[in-house]
Amino acid sequence: MELWFTEEHTKDVRFTIRVDEQIESVQSDFQKIDVFQTPEFGKVLVIDGYIMLTEKDEFVYHEMITHVPMSVNPNIKKILVIGAGDGGTVRELTRYNTVERIDMVEIDKMVVDVCVDHIPQTACKLSHEKVNLYFEDGLKFVKTKENEYDLIIVDSTDPVGPGMELFTVDFYENCFKALKEDGILVNQHESPYYAREAAAMQRAHEKIKKVFPVAKVYQAHIPTYGSGHWLFGFASKKYDPINHMDEEAWNKLLIKTKYYNSALHKGAFALPNYVLEMLEQNI
Amino acid sequence: MELWFTEEHTKDVRFTIRVDEQIESVQSDFQKIDVFQTPEFGKVLVIDGYIMLTEKDEFVYHEMITHVPMSVNPNIKKILVIGAGDGGTVRELTRYNTVERIDMVEIDKMVVDVCVDHIPQTACKLSHEKVNLYFEDGLKFVKTKENEYDLIIVDSTDPVGPGMELFTVDFYENCFKALKEDGILVNQHESPYYAREAAAMQRAHEKIKKVFPVAKVYQAHIPTYGSGHWLFGFASKKYDPINHMDEEAWNKLLIKTKYYNSALHKGAFALPNYVLEMLEQNI
């Protein structure tokens, strides 16, 4: 028997992977959640038809969304994570002894349940003593907070369905308010290559730079996301992601990584001209 | 009617693109050559079932294989290009007034003929006055040369079929001999993500570093190559690709690029840990 899962990158481009077994398939109040066992990528989490993570390359995404801000401010103690139901972001953050508290707000408890059941590679630290899980709307949660967090990580799905409101000016303004005076906001920032994600990237950057005095974008190679060229946003009230990065302090922590390193941290902010031009455009 | 072209990235992973029309399909003495018109990528050149270029993203590959060495030594005058039948590499090199002569050695004349007929976007400068085309075996051609070139660019297919001999120690040694005392060798260096290309990458690097005192690897985002994470090799007799880069001289040339810029040049050499580890392994 042959079983194949196909993701449409655009209506004219398809990425198809061989599946050994469909391990899970549930419909939550918010979205369709599937887990596949595959020969090339190990377990694959799919939400509403889009690959959210694979065991083979989730380390790229999770290292880049966490270690970049953590190495800019080694005094980060209190963190808010929005989305991130698979647990990979929290897993990386719990590697820092200096972190005191991680509040994680995921709107869809079923994503967490599925990952705890089937993908311990990412979900392994969700019950860590420093982690507080809230199954709530991220926008509403952040609205109630003021001057509270050193770092907010927005580890969201695309700006459709439940992820949509995490790409609004209202949301970014509430993040600004919820952050301390030296706070940092990092978000998954879509991709510059295919038209739909490129438009989302431009809209997100336009909004974030209206709210935060520092608003930069950095890139990584994530082969199982459409085009493999994925971006993250680094916004902050005062820190520059390169000038303020404390390379020496970070390297002293001896955190072993598979993708991230200090040279790559700096290199990741060097974007291609066509991406820079898209980010500068007013749309 | 629906027409789709599928490339197998591995036996378990497929990349499929919608095709408006198969413009060309010929079998040369060496390989099968196809050109498709597609809605997402414009024209696509396929050799033996693998995408060689698309009009949408060929600029990434061709800018990165040329402008990186050209900005390290602004005095490059005589260049040997091996492979590169589509003409994109030559197109970028003819933008330098300082370049005096480009010898291009492509084993398969039919690739050039097909691209001249159908893909002027890359083939447009193949009849430039500085360009000399040789339809010969690249390894044999380079064997006859000594102390002649400032730069050799190996723009080859994968190490199967006619591209195979361009990944041997014998070939790299002959390139070393054909280069002047400050010569640079740049080659397409496969990809670290899927097993087959990763093994080719490791083997190529192991061989090149035996022959050249400087042997570095740099990366780019090329969405239509398997995994989108593609590498290039920079080897030289004396120049370091970052310490010797002449950013000011290059920027004075006012060459407009869509991907390459001086910050990205430096950033591209900052590789992920897992790639660094693979390159250091003796296989």
Side-chain angles (χ1 to χ4, degrees):
Chain A
M1 186 188 83
E2 301 228 342
L3 185 62
W4 296 84
F5 161 76
T6 294
E7 175 175 327
E8 293 205 336
H9 288 172
T10 78
K11 70 180 178 50
D12 302 317
V13 183
R14 295 175 177 173
F15 184 65
T16 299
I17 62 183
R18 190 189 296 273
V19 171
D20 295 321
E21 189 187 354
Q22 186 179 27
I23 295 174
E24 183 66 272
S25 184
V26 289
Q27 175 71 47
S28 76
D29 290 343
F30 303 97
Q31 51 210 350
K32 175 101 186 310
I33 307 163
D34 288 278
V35 179
F36 299 110
Q37 181 70 49
T38 73
E40 181 66 43
F41 303 105
K43 285 179 190 138
V44 178
L45 174 68
V46 172
I47 292 186
D48 284 345
Y50 289 95
I51 293 173
M52 291 294 113
L53 71 83
T54 82
E55 286 186 324
K56 178 167 174 154
D57 63 6
E58 59 83 12
F59 70 92
V60 182
Y61 181 90
H62 293 123
E63 290 186 9
M64 291 301 279
I65 207 167
T66 54
H67 301 310
V68 169
M70 292 303 295
S71 70
V72 170
N73 178 10
N75 295 314
I76 285 172
K77 291 186 170 54
K78 194 166 175 189
I79 304 170
L80 173 61
V81 177
I82 296 176
D86 56 73
T89 296
V90 160
R91 178 196 64 202
E92 291 302 308
L93 293 173
T94 57
R95 302 174 73 186
Y96 292 85
N97 292 328
T98 46
V99 167
E100 293 173 0
R101 181 186 172 101
I102 303 164
D103 291 341
M104 179 179 134
V105 184
E106 164 62 61
I107 200 166
D108 193 349
K109 182 171 184 297
M110 210 174 267
V111 174
V112 170
D113 291 344
V114 164
C115 293
V116 166
D117 283 353
H118 300 295
I119 314 182
Q121 180 175 314
T122 55
C124 52
K125 298 293 182 186
L126 283 170
S127 53
H128 191 281
E129 57 183 9
K130 291 178 185 171
V131 178
N132 306 282
L133 291 182
Y134 301 87
F135 298 110
E136 294 177 32
D137 178 293
L139 177 56
K140 282 184 192 153
F141 185 93
V142 78
K143 266 187 179 163
T144 66
K145 304 294 178 183
E146 196 168 334
N147 191 32
E148 190 155 339
Y149 295 104
D150 302 300
L151 169 63
I152 298 177
I153 294 179
V154 188
D155 178 356
S156 68
T157 54
D158 295 336
V160 287
M164 189 148 48
E165 65 178 24
L166 305 180
F167 284 80
T168 60
V169 170
D170 190 30
F171 173 68
Y172 298 131
E173 282 172 346
N174 280 293
C175 286
F176 188 93
K177 182 171 65 66
L179 284 166
K180 291 183 184 160
E181 58 164 11
D182 65 347
I184 298 170
L185 172 77
V186 169
N187 65 313
Q188 86 83 353
H189 211 296
E190 302 291 319
S191 166
Y193 191 70
Y194 293 120
R196 192 189 62 161
E197 288 79 14
M201 166 198 94
Q202 289 182 292
R203 284 193 297 266
H205 186 64
E206 195 170 29
K207 289 168 188 166
I208 292 170
K209 73 185 177 190
K210 278 181 187 156
V211 177
F212 284 86
V214 177
K216 302 286 172 86
V217 172
Y218 60 104
Q219 65 188 357
H221 285 92
I222 307 181
T224 55
Y225 285 0
S227 86
H229 190 174
W230 216 257
L231 303 175
F232 299 91
F234 178 103
S236 82
K237 296 192 181 184
K238 62 185 229 190
Y239 294 125
D240 178 89
I242 295 179
N243 298 337
H244 290 101
M245 131 188 217
D246 195 337
E247 191 171 335
E248 201 185 341
W250 193 84
N251 284 305
K252 272 192 191 152
L253 297 173
L254 300 175
I255 292 176
K256 189 164 162 49
T257 47
K258 284 189 270 187
Y259 192 87
Y260 179 86
N261 59 54
S262 298
L264 184 138
H265 174 132
K266 289 176 260 189
F269 285 89
L271 301 177
N273 283 350
Y274 86 98
V275 181
L276 293 172
E277 284 162 20
M278 287 173 120
L279 290 170
E280 281 157 18
Q281 273 169 24
N282 289 316
I283 56 163
Chain B
M1 187 189 80
E2 301 225 343
L3 185 61
W4 296 84
F5 161 75
T6 294
E7 175 176 329
E8 292 205 337
H9 288 174
T10 77
K11 70 180 178 48
D12 302 317
V13 182
R14 295 176 177 174
F15 184 65
T16 300
I17 62 183
R18 189 190 296 274
V19 170
D20 295 323
E21 189 187 353
Q22 185 179 26
I23 294 174
E24 183 65 272
S25 184
V26 289
Q27 176 71 47
S28 76
D29 290 343
F30 303 96
Q31 49 209 351
K32 175 101 187 311
I33 306 163
D34 287 278
V35 179
F36 299 110
Q37 182 71 49
T38 74
E40 181 65 44
F41 303 105
K43 285 178 191 139
V44 178
L45 174 68
V46 172
I47 293 187
D48 284 343
Y50 288 94
I51 294 174
M52 292 294 114
L53 71 84
T54 81
E55 286 186 324
K56 179 166 173 152
D57 63 5
E58 57 83 12
F59 71 93
V60 181
Y61 181 91
H62 292 124
E63 290 186 9
M64 290 301 279
I65 207 168
T66 55
H67 301 311
V68 169
M70 292 303 295
S71 69
V72 171
N73 178 10
N75 295 314
I76 284 171
K77 291 185 168 56
K78 194 164 177 190
I79 304 170
L80 173 61
V81 177
I82 296 176
D86 57 72
T89 295
V90 160
R91 179 195 65 202
E92 291 303 308
L93 293 173
T94 57
R95 302 175 73 187
Y96 292 85
N97 293 329
T98 47
V99 168
E100 291 172 1
R101 180 185 175 101
I102 303 164
D103 291 340
M104 180 179 133
V105 184
E106 163 62 60
I107 200 168
D108 193 349
K109 182 172 185 294
M110 210 174 266
V111 174
V112 171
D113 291 343
V114 164
C115 292
V116 167
D117 282 353
H118 299 296
I119 314 183
Q121 179 175 315
T122 55
C124 53
K125 298 292 183 188
L126 284 170
S127 54
H128 191 281
E129 57 183 7
K130 291 177 184 171
V131 178
N132 305 281
L133 291 184
Y134 301 86
F135 298 109
E136 295 177 32
D137 178 291
L139 177 57
K140 283 185 193 154
F141 185 93
V142 78
K143 266 187 179 165
T144 67
K145 304 293 178 183
E146 198 169 333
N147 191 32
E148 188 153 343
Y149 295 103
D150 302 299
L151 169 64
I152 298 178
I153 294 179
V154 188
D155 179 355
S156 68
T157 53
D158 294 337
V160 288
M164 189 148 46
E165 67 178 23
L166 305 180
F167 285 79
T168 60
V169 171
D170 189 31
F171 173 67
Y172 299 131
E173 282 173 345
N174 280 292
C175 286
F176 189 92
K177 181 173 64 72
L179 284 167
K180 291 184 184 161
E181 57 162 13
D182 64 346
I184 298 171
L185 172 77
V186 170
N187 66 313
Q188 86 83 354
H189 210 296
E190 301 292 318
S191 165
Y193 190 71
Y194 294 120
R196 191 188 63 163
E197 288 79 14
M201 165 197 95
Q202 288 181 293
R203 284 193 297 266
H205 186 64
E206 195 170 28
K207 290 168 188 166
I208 292 171
K209 73 185 178 191
K210 279 181 187 156
V211 177
F212 284 86
V214 177
K216 303 285 172 87
V217 172
Y218 60 104
Q219 63 188 357
H221 285 92
I222 307 182
T224 55
Y225 285 0
S227 86
H229 190 174
W230 216 258
L231 303 176
F232 300 90
F234 179 103
S236 82
K237 298 193 181 184
K238 61 186 232 189
Y239 295 125
D240 179 88
I242 295 180
N243 299 337
H244 290 101
M245 128 187 221
D246 194 338
E247 190 170 335
E248 200 185 343
W250 193 85
N251 284 304
K252 272 192 189 151
L253 297 173
L254 301 175
I255 292 176
K256 190 165 162 47
T257 46
K258 284 189 271 187
Y259 193 86
Y260 179 86
N261 60 55
S262 299
L264 184 138
H265 174 130
K266 289 175 261 188
F269 285 89
L271 301 177
N273 283 351
Y274 86 97
V275 181
L276 293 173
E277 284 162 20
M278 287 173 119
L279 290 170
E280 280 156 18
Q281 272 168 24
N282 289 315
I283 56 163

